[in-house]
Amino acid sequence: MNTRHIWLIAKKELSGLYNEKTIILAIALQLFIAMFSSFLIVGLTTMYDPSALSRFSGISYGIGYAGADSPLPGYLEKEGNFRVYRMDLSDAVAALRERKLAGVLYVPHTPPAGEDPVVVTLYLVQNDLQSSMIGSRLKDAFSAYEGDLRDLRNTCLTVTPIDLLFPAERSGGDFFEFIYGLLIPLLLFLPVVISAALIIDFITEEYQLATLETLLSSPVSFPDVILGKVGAAVILVPLQAGAWLLLLAANGVTIAGPIEVLFLVSLIAVVLICLSALIALHYRERTNAQTVFSVGLVIVLLAVLAIPQNPVNMVVRIATATAGPEQWPVLGLLILGSIAMLALVRTYAAYVGIKAPLKEG
Amino acid sequence: MGSIAAILAISRWEVKRVLSQTTRSVLPLAIVLIIALVIVSGFAAQSGVHLQDGIYRLGVNDPAIASLFASDSRFNVYLTDTATLRTYQNSYNVIIIDKKVSAAKTDRGTAALKALERGYQRYIGTLYSSENDLFAAYPLWIDQQYVQSELNFQATEGGQYLGVRPMTTNPYPDGPVEKVSEPVSSLPLPPDDLRQELVRASTKDDPLSRYTDVLKPPAEMGNVRVPSQLTPSLPFDSIIAVFIFIFPLYFISQFFMMSIMGERLDRRGEPLLTTPLHPYQILVGKALPYFAGMCIASLSIALAIGGSPLLLIPLLPVMLFFLATALIIAMLARSFKELSFISIFFSTVITSYLFLPTIFAHVHIVSLISPLTLVVFQLQGEGFTLTDYFYSTALFFITSGVLFFVAVVNFKEERLFGQGKFLTRLMEFVEDSISREQPYLSLLLMNALLIPFVFMAQMMLLVIFFNLPMPYSLVLLICTAALIEEVAKSVGIYALLSRPGALVSFKALGVAAVVTALGFLAGEKLFLFAMLSQVTQSVFGSVLFLSLQVLWIPFLLHLTGVLIVVLMLRYGGRRAYGPAILLATLVHSAYNLIILAGVM
């Protein structure tokens, strides 16, 4: 093994990427996904928690109310989100259709302490952002009324639940799980998957474009060529993932232990890239290699995610600063795994050598 | 007839080639992989997804409460005494001391609190749904009725929710009042069935089942809910439709891409080119097996999840579009790396174009620009009209047709085996699509046909900027829309300028500019007239499609843009392209802003 040769090959691959300018597309891709996710976050915040945007805080919505008396108007007006108008049902629905109201409630004359359910009818405008926005506010009022009714009828109930006292509702936190539990792992592992697909191109290209012989006429050995390519693919991962973390930080999303997270992601990248290098070396032809790799990726991903304390979960835990001592065995195993995979790739490369692609005779 | 026979012959040949190649080398491993996939998905289904395990720390001093949350893997539950909890309360996200919950005042604390509250609701739910007297445990039911409002688009556009202003007196409708009969106070199902529905609803809270539910027919409960179920439908649900239907299409299109790329390696496709077959026969023939594969895949997925075969109809244009883009990318790429990057890039863009609007499947009319919304509707048993279909698929049909045409024109030796830079090659492709005998007519047609691409790009922008605060989104939209239009208009002329002897005289330049502006305008007008009336009613629509009011003003605007670019290119050469486009965009945006200020 000659580290200088490996580095040379890695540099060649990287400058090849740079010259083709396709790396710009890769960056554009990532930016695009960033826009995409910011759209999701901003859009959903407005949808589910309108007060998250300051301009909604002062607005109260009009609700038409018809039918029997109930405590509902009181609950609705308590938070200042709604203003309730007592109206005739037909008028109210017509006003709703003209958007002079945000919703209409009809409460039936069912006795509150009776045996029959109280079925309240709620009229909303279809296909409307506002309808989904007021939904969560309405829910609070309904839940309060439900509690009242339960108290009235509790003689018929047999079990009493453990009573937990929750603090008053506060805003925020809606996207914590989405950002840390889904978006961040997605963004960090996107470069890993891209690089793993890239190594297949690096390797099969040499076979299929018949450039291998030229390369091997230099004093670089074949296993070193492959390791160099692996190196180039691996280097791209922490670079891209790091850029993601910076971009997220610029958007106000910071993670705990960024260095450790990047290290862990890079180790996972080594294992996955080696796996796909083995596939590429086996087929030495792009279509088959990419097919097997994509199916294999799904299998590996499913299997890994199904194991408790898997490396991806560990990345999430480190990013949220909830990782305890359980992270060290995972880290140790990953280090051992990457070394073993690199050795395997080297051995297999030496064994396969420059045989012709495994296809058409 | 002969041409169909030729196409089928090519198809047969393609199938044979693929089969012989894969059976020999991939089949043994494929069997192993499939067995592994079955085992792994069984394991995953049993073990669940462990992605968000332990992201919250919960401190409790009561074992009974601790056991309530033990099943939620997101919580690391620590059971200790009160004193320890109080001393180290900062190292927990939520603590429960003597049934009193308190959470750190951080984003994570709030998130943990909300997760805890939902878990608690679930616990209450399971407890109450086993009560004998169901209507004592669940006394309140809400029947949601939806009314149609014609003001739909205008009133809710772009993050402005000004529709309803509270008034001091009762609001009274201006229009005629239809008699609404008082609803009957009854539930759609007998109590035992309701109980089952409640149990079903309370046990299926894990994130996976929430997604898979999208694929099931709507629940029998109709619109009746108990208060705790009253949440707006989560918009991410439609992503499952994307994964289930779009991913196989993408996958199959990759094989087609590689097959075309394969013809270009070692000049392997040369014998094919020497046959008397027309390129379109070769390409259709080669694409046909993959198209059939896509249909079979989609159909089996539709049947597997219990959907109707009609799901195939909205997917049809998506399939064609994937095949057409795969074809163009395979003909353009110089290396495998380039092939990978370009195809990943475009598939992401297309997927988001398909996915983003479906978020609003039940909320907003914008969602209709994606055929996937129709898939979601069909899955939920709502169906769609012919107008809906036309509205959401026309862009896909037209763009696929145009891309296919460009591919056919360029399917020849010097293009397939050339090795220029990517953008140079792209320009060569465009240049070849412009006829030599009738360059101006070509230019006219080309600019008209570019409109669907421009609209696709602008629709993307509309969706992305949709939820930004109002003035920014509007200004951003104006500038980027203008940029896209100016770039689109410049493509034809830029390509033609590289043709020796073309556009030398000023007269020729002038004619080319006029023709370009005319074609663009005609395409825009036709297109709007045909399908986008819904969107154009909104303020956003009037920004994108501003130039509709009077004909000659937009014509002059388009002409000015083209002339700026043409003249700067003529005198400044290729280097002047960037500044030229910027200047044209500036003029274009300024015009749009002025007009818009007048409109509003």
Side-chain angles (χ1 to χ4, degrees), chain B residues 522-550:
Chain B
E524 203 174 39
K525 288 283 294 174
L526 267 175
F527 213 84
L528 287 177
F529 192 72
M531 56 175 293
L532 290 175
S533 51
Q534 297 222 56
V535 181
T536 45
Q537 283 165 8
S538 79
V539 172
F540 273 97
S542 59
V543 176
L544 286 182
F545 318 118
L546 204 55
S547 23
L548 206 69
Q549 288 96 13
V550 200

Side-chain angles (χ1 to χ4, degrees), chain A residues 20 127-128 150 201 306 320, chain B residues 47 108 137 156 174 335 340 363:
Chain A
E20 272 186 349
N127 276 355
D128 188 46
R150 264 186 198 150
D201 293 343
T320 53
Chain B
S47 161
R108 172 145 48 129
T156 58
D174 298 323
S335 69
S340 293
V363 186

Side-chain angles (χ1 to χ4, degrees), chain A residues 156-192:
Chain A
C156 305
L157 293 177
T158 49
V159 280
T160 355
I162 302 173
D163 216 9
L164 286 189
L165 270 174
F166 282 93
E169 179 128 346
R170 34 179 145 130
S171 63
D174 294 318
F175 300 105
F176 180 81
E177 271 176 42
F178 172 66
I179 292 174
Y180 286 91
L182 215 63
L183 194 65
I184 287 181
L186 181 82
L187 295 184
L188 289 178
F189 285 97
L190 198 73
V192 178

